[in-house]
Amino acid sequence: MSSHFEDLQSAALAYHRLPRPGKLEIQATKPLANQRDLALAYSPGVAAACTAIAENPAEAASLTIRANLVAVVSNGTAVLGLGNIGPLASKPVMEGKAVLFKKFAGIDVFDIEIAADTIERVVETVAALEPTFGGINLEDIKGPECFEIEAQLKARMKIPVFHDDQHGTAIIVAAAITNGLLLNGKKLSDVKIVASGAGAAAIACLNLLVSMGAQRKNIWVCDIDGVVHEGRNTLMDRWKSVYAQKTDKRVLADVIGGADIFLGLSAPNVLKPEMVKAMADKPLVMALANPTPEIMPDEARKARPDAMICTGRSDFPNQVNNVLCFPFIFRGALDCGATAINEEMKKAAVDAIAQLARDPPSDASAQGFDSGEAQGFGPGSLIPSPFDPRLILRIAPAVAKAAMESGVASRPIANIEDYAAQLERFAFRSGLVMKPMFAKARTQPVRVIYAEGEDERVLHATQVVLEENLARPILVGRPSVVEARIKRYGLAIKAGRDFDLVNPEDDPRYRSYVQSYIDVAGRHGVTPDAARTVVRTNATVIAALAVVRGEADAMICGVEGRYMSHLRHVREIVGFLPGVSDFAALALMITSKGAYFITDTQVRPNPSAEELAEVAALAAIHVQRFNIKPKVAFVSHSDFGSYDTDSSRKMRRATALLKENHPEIEADGEMQGDTALSEAARKLILPHSKLEGVANILIMPNLDTANVAYQMIKVLADALPVGPILIGPSRPAHILTPSVTARGILNMTAVAAVEAQERAGRQQPSLFG
């Protein structure tokens, strides 16, 4: 046993054991804080919900969790590659499946491991669970019994029953084959398919392909006993017999010649290089055995350079992974109250997955690769990454629509577009808060310049900025590098056509840029010689000069390098708004409980009361752009005079100054953090507080408290950060941090664009005319 495998085993056991056993917990979704809550949740109040459901069973969907609850059921007879290890030993896998449902689609799961080893016992047990669940996901049940179990359950139950080992695999395989045939110009009805393996997954794949147009006469199946042929009596069943050929060929090598598709769901190394050589032009090799495929990709490619190759492994391109579909198929099925998952719904999922693979990759999908690279559509990218957040946006609506059109939706979705918007808010947690920004940015796209134009995240963001029509991008970067990376990441953007490019090594405006830099920074110790060097080498300086020269409306930098270094250049070139003493950084934290803005997380170490009041007023302007009413709390260790310290007095004075200068802003302080976030707690201490509800702008006393609060909320609350938003520059200029994602850059592009739109009418004349 290798040391790497031993390390993985040890880490996996620790992962499952600590800090508490298992991977799941159950949480209440309603308050249980007092006797009244208890009376509503349980006796006597719960009787009202029970009565309503007894009178109308459809009410269970709106009064209980049932419409979002799936059972992951196994009897442990075919667990992963471990075989029949029993239901108890299968529980970690079923918990893992539950986690995937929740993570990828927001679906709640009870994992149910049953001690039942006959078809009749499994069917009776699972069928009896129908009142509890909105859907059943069968898992790791051995074939051929799994076919009969699923068929009987589908006939008896009025909720979706889905054996993922069969249909999840089949849907991903069908999507890969759809795209593979598109690339090699072949038709499904014409191709020869050779399958190695005749278990549940293999037969389901073939059944789905036949329903999509493949012809049985072109399908050859091999298993451990050789070719499935007419007259064979060993290891046969009624599902496998469908694919029996009238032939005297008996082994895989006899039937592989001229095959367009090899479908392997069998055992390691059964497909030899000489067999691959015998396949048709541009063959599709799907070697899906795990962890060792039927043939390793490098061997297959060496034998046939024109082959397209899929495996079940995450360390190779084209991974056939069921997580690509099962959470989203259930999401769509549950949301329309489907009574089954039928062929039409499965085909809709195939089409949605295949189409998504043909679209330019998203940044989040790129993060699923160890190299950080995502390829564009082609032989190495036939199916999307499991990490692509767009999967739920494409598959769930397509499945729901197919369910409605095929007549199995008990709660049809009235507006698919509104439904897709709800899913987007789940897929991108920033969706709801950022929606007003995106809508405003689209109304009048402005020019946004990105200092780090060669960075992968900036390039991914640029792709989406153009798709969303948020801005006209300008990138600072070397043309050859930008072009090579666009190709490397599989993006569909082009310099000149989609975005402008400032080449720091050879731009015709170089001399005038140098003079502009001397004009604005000469009094900051920048000599002409230094200016010439900096304008060649510092992308932030170039971006800032473009903004003050009027060649761009807003700038974004900071994806690489130190924040304070970028800040120095923005300070000396862009400068401050009239009356502003210094910059400050506003961080937006999007949590499950709402959106909160924190200042100042990056710039001022220990601001005065006057500075804090200034920052609060400027922050309120930014917050209004989100269509959020600003509610300011000056946060302290003191609660309305409970402590008398320098810090508490400063926060008290800052509150007074803001109220005096901006009485229109709802604000109060000094107050502790929990007092700021709880109106009930605040009313107990100061019933007549001018702040109502929950504060959404938290003004911290110094940089330490602001940054620590920001970092802790990000981790402990699993919050999505947006920003930092730079407060106070004379023109829109924002400095991000190196941990930012492409989605973060996209969000800040919208913020910068809206700021530029609003300030365009009152912008001061450019220093350079």
Side-chain angles (χ1 to χ4, degrees), residues 365-711:
S365 68
Q367 293 177 10
F369 294 90
D370 290 339
S371 63
E373 296 179 28
Q375 301 179 16
F377 177 59
S381 188
L382 297 175
I383 41 184
S385 160
F387 296 91
D388 195 322
R390 298 171 296 177
L391 284 162
I392 191 172
L393 308 182
R394 304 293 182 85
I395 299 173
V399 167
K401 192 165 181 286
M404 292 187 288
E405 290 174 351
S406 61
V408 297
S410 64
R411 296 189 307 276
I413 295 168
N415 189 311
I416 285 287
E417 287 74 23
D418 288 347
Y419 174 57
Q422 293 172 21
L423 294 173
E424 184 170 14
R425 289 197 286 274
F426 173 81
F428 301 116
R429 289 176 296 164
S430 56
L432 184 61
V433 176
M434 292 302 302
K435 190 173 181 180
M437 283 292 186
F438 278 70
K440 290 178 189 176
R442 290 188 193 102
T443 61
Q444 182 191 339
V446 301
R447 299 163 299 171
V448 177
I449 188 165
Y450 303 85
E452 295 90 359
E454 297 174 2
D455 187 277
E456 176 189 355
R457 293 161 293 173
V458 172
L459 292 170
H460 276 291
T462 298
Q463 171 89 48
V464 185
V465 165
L466 290 162
E467 291 173 358
E468 297 278 353
N469 195 31
L470 296 181
R472 172 68 182 184
I474 305 169
L475 273 56
V476 180
R478 295 161 292 176
S480 60
V481 175
V482 171
E483 184 179 352
R485 291 184 179 178
I486 287 172
K487 185 177 180 180
R488 178 181 174 190
Y489 303 136
L491 301 174
I493 53 177
K494 186 176 181 181
R497 182 191 69 191
D498 301 310
F499 61 90
D500 298 319
L501 195 61
V502 178
N503 180 4
E505 294 181 342
D506 182 24
D507 192 282
R509 296 164 292 186
Y510 171 69
R511 289 180 182 275
S512 61
Y513 267 61
V514 170
Q515 188 56 51
S516 298
Y517 188 36
I518 293 169
D519 291 344
V520 296
R523 294 183 182 276
H524 294 276
V526 177
T527 65
D529 283 346
R532 282 188 284 272
T533 301
V534 170
V535 173
R536 280 262 192 249
T537 59
N538 193 299
T540 297
V541 168
I542 295 170
L545 288 170
V547 169
V548 298
R549 286 165 59 92
E551 295 166 3
D553 302 300
M555 68 171 283
I556 290 176
C557 65
V559 177
E560 299 169 1
R562 294 185 177 181
Y563 188 95
M564 296 308 291
S565 176
H566 294 286
L567 186 70
R568 178 169 58 83
H569 294 304
V570 172
R571 182 182 280 125
E572 68 185 10
I573 298 171
V574 178
F576 305 118
L577 279 168
V580 173
S581 60
D582 197 0
F583 297 128
L586 176 68
L588 166 58
M589 308 298 293
I590 301 172
T591 76
S592 60
K593 294 188 175 181
Y596 303 95
F597 297 82
I598 300 173
T599 70
D600 166 14
T601 57
Q602 302 289 147
V603 182
R604 307 191 196 198
N606 190 20
S608 66
E610 289 75 14
E611 290 176 308
L612 289 172
E614 173 187 282
V615 168
L618 293 169
I621 295 171
H622 280 283
V623 171
Q624 284 176 321
R625 295 193 181 107
F626 289 86
N627 285 355
I628 296 173
K629 182 181 179 182
K631 294 176 178 288
V632 178
F634 289 86
V635 182
S636 170
H637 67 289
S638 174
D639 241 349
F640 301 111
S642 63
Y643 285 84
D644 187 27
T645 63
D646 288 343
S647 176
S648 64
R649 286 192 295 270
K650 178 175 77 170
M651 302 308 284
R652 214 171 300 152
R653 175 164 167 71
T655 305
L657 287 169
L658 182 66
K659 288 180 178 180
E660 179 183 334
N661 297 328
H662 296 279
E664 75 281 3
I665 298 176
E666 194 175 317
D668 215 334
E670 86 286 10
M671 68 180 77
Q672 293 179 352
D674 58 343
T675 308
L677 300 176
S678 169
E679 184 175 36
R682 192 162 57 252
K683 294 297 184 186
L684 289 174
I685 300 165
L686 193 70
H688 305 299
S689 171
K690 299 297 183 185
L691 180 64
E692 296 182 357
V694 176
N696 51 36
I697 302 177
L698 305 175
I699 308 295
M700 300 291 180
N702 56 44
L703 179 60
D704 284 344
T705 53
N707 196 273
V708 168
Y710 163 75
Q711 301 293 353

Side-chain angles (χ1 to χ4, degrees), residues 141-462:
I141 300 173
K142 73 182 178 73
E145 290 90 334
C146 60
F147 293 112
E148 189 63 42
I149 288 168
E150 186 190 44
Q152 288 190 28
L153 288 173
K154 288 172 77 169
R156 288 181 58 168
M157 303 179 81
K158 293 183 174 61
I159 58 174
V161 178
F162 187 82
H163 185 206
D164 186 44
D165 298 323
Q166 290 183 52
H167 308 299
T169 303
I171 286 164
I172 309 305
V173 163
I177 288 175
T178 297
N179 281 339
L181 296 181
L182 184 68
L183 286 172
N184 63 25
K186 300 178 182 179
K187 291 183 179 179
L188 185 59
S189 57
D190 298 335
V191 296
K192 178 180 178 180
I193 302 170
V194 174
S196 175
I203 296 299
C205 289
L206 297 175
N207 290 346
L208 182 56
L209 290 171
V210 167
S211 77
M212 292 171 59
Q215 297 194 58
R216 281 194 174 87
K217 66 179 183 179
N218 295 334
I219 297 173
W220 299 77
V221 179
C222 301
D223 62 8
I224 198 168
D225 239 23
V227 174
V228 174
H229 61 273
E230 291 184 6
R232 194 179 110 174
N233 297 316
T234 55
L235 295 178
M236 293 295 287
D237 55 59
R238 64 187 178 94
W239 299 278
K240 192 186 300 185
S241 297
V242 170
Y243 295 101
Q245 292 274 20
K246 188 173 183 178
T247 181
D248 58 1
K249 297 175 180 179
R250 292 296 180 261
V251 294
L252 178 60
D254 295 338
V255 297
I256 194 67
D260 299 282
I261 299 168
F262 170 78
L263 175 60
L265 287 151
S266 53
N269 305 315
V270 299
L271 184 66
K272 305 302 179 185
E274 56 270 23
M275 297 181 186
V276 180
K277 288 180 181 178
M279 293 179 71
D281 283 348
K282 299 177 183 175
L284 177 56
V285 176
M286 307 195 74
L288 307 182
N290 249 334
T292 305
E294 284 81 1
I295 187 169
M296 293 300 289
D298 55 344
E299 285 187 61
R301 199 168 288 110
K302 185 177 178 182
R304 288 295 296 272
D306 61 336
M308 289 176 279
I309 305 161
C310 300
T311 72
R313 288 172 48 147
S314 60
D315 53 347
F316 294 111
N318 290 327
Q319 183 196 9
V320 174
N321 187 333
N322 291 8
V323 79
L324 277 164
C325 71
F326 74 79
F328 317 119
I329 289 172
F330 270 97
R331 181 73 281 160
L334 291 171
D335 289 339
C336 69
T339 56
I341 294 174
N342 57 26
E343 287 299 300
E344 290 83 358
M345 294 160 76
K346 289 189 281 185
K347 289 178 187 177
V350 171
D351 290 342
I353 294 166
Q355 178 59 56
L356 181 56
R358 298 195 288 270
D359 291 346
S362 73
D363 170 68
S365 68
Q367 293 177 10
F369 294 90
D370 290 339
S371 63
E373 296 179 28
Q375 301 179 16
F377 177 59
S381 188
L382 297 175
I383 41 184
S385 160
F387 296 91
D388 195 322
R390 298 171 296 177
L391 284 162
I392 191 172
L393 308 182
R394 304 293 182 85
I395 299 173
V399 167
K401 192 165 181 286
M404 292 187 288
E405 290 174 351
S406 61
V408 297
S410 64
R411 296 189 307 276
I413 295 168
N415 189 311
I416 285 287
E417 287 74 23
D418 288 347
Y419 174 57
Q422 293 172 21
L423 294 173
E424 184 170 14
R425 289 197 286 274
F426 173 81
F428 301 116
R429 289 176 296 164
S430 56
L432 184 61
V433 176
M434 292 302 302
K435 190 173 181 180
M437 283 292 186
F438 278 70
K440 290 178 189 176
R442 290 188 193 102
T443 61
Q444 182 191 339
V446 301
R447 299 163 299 171
V448 177
I449 188 165
Y450 303 85
E452 295 90 359
E454 297 174 2
D455 187 277
E456 176 189 355
R457 293 161 293 173
V458 172
L459 292 170
H460 276 291
T462 298

